[in-house]
């Protein structure tokens, strides 16, 4: 009988402990790994911070411009299923972010500066003609919900950015 009372007391304590473990704002504590799923939208810093823990993805609405859609999760070696995905290496991102294989979530007619690590984007002014440093300024001319490199113009300074999943192709032109 005493054993049953202990079991009941332990079972009643679990929900109380779980409720007491949450962080006040619902965000994980610094250093805690976020859990992401394929299809989640995330925001990632456009530049590489000195502290890899600062290069952390945060879940956001898919309407945030720019953001990324998690297209896949890297395998045990840290490799994405396709080289087309944007991917932050483990030496510049926290472990949960380094596992993400990302597809940019961009808007047609908007301009973005490609930052470092390669492929990380930041919203930019298309008319800005200032020295932007090592980044490249590109304009998304079309956003297509298919993976088709041939759907974009084959002109000098125009490029196709195809992604496998979610199927998406961006037609871009280099502004400067």
């Amino acid at each position: 009988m005493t054993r049953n009372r202990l079991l009941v007391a332990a079972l009643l304590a679990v929900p109380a402990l779980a409720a007491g473990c949450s962080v006040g704002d619902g965000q994980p504590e610094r250093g805690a790994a976020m859990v992401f799923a394929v299809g989640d939208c995330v925001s990632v810093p456009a530049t590489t911070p000195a502290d890899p823990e600062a290069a952390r993805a945060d879940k956001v609405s898919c309407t945030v411009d720019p953001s990324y859609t998690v297209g896949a999760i890297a395998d045990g070696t840290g490799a994405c299923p396709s080289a087309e995905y944007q991917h932050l290496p483990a030496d510049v991102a926290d472990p949960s972010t380094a596992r993400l294989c990302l597809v940019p979530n961009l808007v047609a007619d908007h301009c973005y500066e490609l930052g470092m690590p390669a492929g990380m984007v930041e919203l930019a002014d298309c008319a800005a003609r200032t020295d932007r440093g090592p980044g490249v300024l590109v304009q998304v001319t079309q956003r297509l919900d298919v993976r088709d490199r041939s759907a974009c113009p084959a002109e000098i300074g125009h490029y196709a950015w195809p992604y496998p999943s979610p199927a998406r192709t961006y037609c871009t032109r280099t502004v400067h």
Side-chain angles (χ1 to χ4, degrees), residues 30 43-58 88-98 117:
R30 181 151 175 82
S43 174
V44 180
T47 57
T48 305
D51 175 15
E53 284 297 313
R56 163 179 274 163
D58 291 310
L88 290 170
D91 62 336
V92 299
D94 80 309
S96 60
T97 301

Side-chain angles (χ1 to χ4, degrees), residues 1-169:
M1 192 71 151
T2 305
R3 183 174 181 201
N4 286 343
R5 285 185 194 156
L6 287 174
L7 180 59
V8 169
L11 289 174
L12 291 174
V14 170
L17 287 173
C21 289
S22 64
V23 175
D25 62 1
Q27 297 298 317
E29 292 182 44
R30 181 151 175 82
M34 289 283 294
V35 177
F36 300 103
V38 170
D40 284 348
C41 288
V42 299
S43 174
V44 180
T47 57
T48 305
D51 175 15
E53 284 297 313
R56 163 179 274 163
D58 291 310
K59 287 184 185 180
V60 296
S61 165
C62 293
T63 61
V64 171
D65 181 27
S67 61
Y68 299 86
T69 303
V70 177
I73 303 295
D75 64 19
T77 67
C80 289
S82 169
E84 294 166 322
Y85 287 112
Q86 306 297 325
H87 183 86
L88 290 170
D91 62 336
V92 299
D94 80 309
S96 60
T97 301
R99 296 189 64 234
L100 303 179
C101 304
L102 302 170
V103 175
N105 191 16
L106 308 176
V107 177
D109 297 321
H110 286 192
C111 286
Y112 302 91
E113 183 174 1
L114 300 181
M116 297 307 285
M120 294 295 103
V121 297
E122 184 174 15
L123 189 61
D125 181 355
C126 293
R129 298 280 181 190
T130 61
D131 178 25
R132 304 195 68 82
V136 174
L137 186 64
V138 298
Q139 181 178 28
V140 172
T141 58
Q142 290 182 42
R143 175 184 164 142
L144 308 168
D145 291 328
V146 297
R147 179 186 185 193
D148 184 3
R149 181 177 299 279
S150 66
C152 298
E155 300 172 20
I156 294 174
H158 290 254
Y159 300 94
W161 299 353
Y163 296 94
S165 179
R168 190 173 298 159
T169 300

